């Protein structure tokens, strides 16, 4: 059984692309209401430009405009158990 202090290995990385879209509506304070689209399974070795271009291509399928793009990287550690 593994415990704190035992040797750890990086088992892999996973990336998600989060695209924030403006709905065209505002809240009671006048701030734009955003919706988030999350795309899981993004190739971690993909170029940043490709991720950016993909986000805009996906948004192009909607009537909403892009307000932000984030990439979330998750690193799996192990062994567990």
């Amino acid at each position: 059984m593994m415990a704190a202090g035992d040797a750890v290995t990086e088992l892999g990385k996973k990336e998600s692309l989060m695209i924030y879209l403006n709905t065209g509506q505002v809240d009671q304070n006048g701030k734009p209401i955003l919706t988030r689209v999350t795309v899981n399974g993004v190739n971690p070795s993909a170029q940043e430009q490709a991720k950016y271009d993909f986000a805009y291509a996906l948004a192009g399928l909607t009537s909403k405009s892009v307000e932000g793009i984030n990439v979330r990287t998750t690193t799996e550690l192990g062994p567990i158990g």
Side-chain angles (χ1 to χ4, degrees):
M1 176 172 263
M2 297 290 294
D6 288 348
V8 67
T9 304
E10 182 181 304
L11 300 176
K13 291 190 182 287
K14 296 179 182 178
E15 281 195 357
S16 298
L17 188 63
M18 290 165 291
I19 308 161
Y20 296 89
L21 302 172
N22 189 323
T23 64
Q25 300 174 351
V26 294
D27 65 15
Q28 63 273 16
N29 298 318
K31 289 185 171 184
I33 297 174
L34 305 180
T35 185
R36 181 180 70 198
V37 175
T38 302
V39 179
N40 295 312
V42 174
N43 185 342
S45 65
Q47 297 293 317
E48 298 306 316
Q49 185 68 52
K51 295 170 192 174
Y52 182 87
D53 292 344
F54 174 80
Y56 272 92
L58 187 61
L61 299 174
T62 74
S63 60
K64 300 174 176 98
S65 61
V66 175
E67 290 290 321
I69 304 168
N70 291 344
V71 176
R72 179 178 53 207
T73 304
T74 305
T75 304
E76 184 179 357
L77 302 176
I80 302 294

